[in-house]
Amino acid sequence: MFTAPSRAQIEAQFDGILNGSVTRDQADRWAAQWVCADDPAVDDDLVWWALGLLHGIDLRPGPDDDYLHSDEQVAEWLAEFRVRSRSNASGGGALTPE
């Protein structure tokens, strides 16, 4: 069993994708550790939401196509993650739709 990622680690993955220090493939494989686990031990709904976005972030409609999710969309996810982190600083509880 391994521990769930922190919000700071999630944010670092999104930042890394946008600044080029983390590839989309790396972020996808990193998130898959929890998304594909039998018992992911992720109690923070916001972290779980973000892991779901990061897992699959490297998808392309076809081998020569751009990524399914643009850098602009990734930046929007990061901005939403930051807003939700501030409004739900406790790290638990259900997410409210925005």
Side-chain angles (χ1 to χ4, degrees), residues 14 17 24 27-28 53-59 67 69 74 77:
F14 281 120
I17 291 165
R24 286 171 178 249
D28 170 74
L53 296 174
L54 289 166
H55 183 57
I57 202 159
D58 62 341
L59 294 175
Y67 290 109
H69 305 290
V74 174
W77 290 339

Side-chain angles (χ1 to χ4, degrees), residues 5 14 18 21 25 44 66 75 92 97:
F14 281 120
L18 295 171
S21 65
D25 183 58
D44 186 334
D66 289 335

Side-chain angles (χ1 to χ4, degrees), residues 10-86:
I10 293 285
E11 190 169 344
Q13 290 293 312
F14 281 120
D15 274 332
I17 291 165
L18 295 171
N19 71 30
S21 65
V22 174
T23 68
R24 286 171 178 249
D25 183 58
Q26 289 170 325
D28 170 74
R29 285 184 284 124
W30 180 82
Q33 298 175 80
W34 293 278
V35 174
C36 298
D38 289 334
D39 183 12
V42 177
D43 296 328
D44 186 334
D45 290 339
L46 182 58
V47 167
W48 187 250
W49 171 79
L51 286 170
L53 296 174
L54 289 166
H55 183 57
I57 202 159
D58 62 341
L59 294 175
R60 297 175 189 258
D64 297 323
D65 294 332
D66 289 335
Y67 290 109
L68 186 61
H69 305 290
S70 68
D71 286 347
E72 291 78 22
Q73 188 170 19
V74 174
E76 289 171 6
W77 290 339
L78 175 56
E80 184 172 353
F81 179 81
R82 287 175 172 157
V83 166
R84 289 182 178 200
S85 285
R86 284 191 301 273

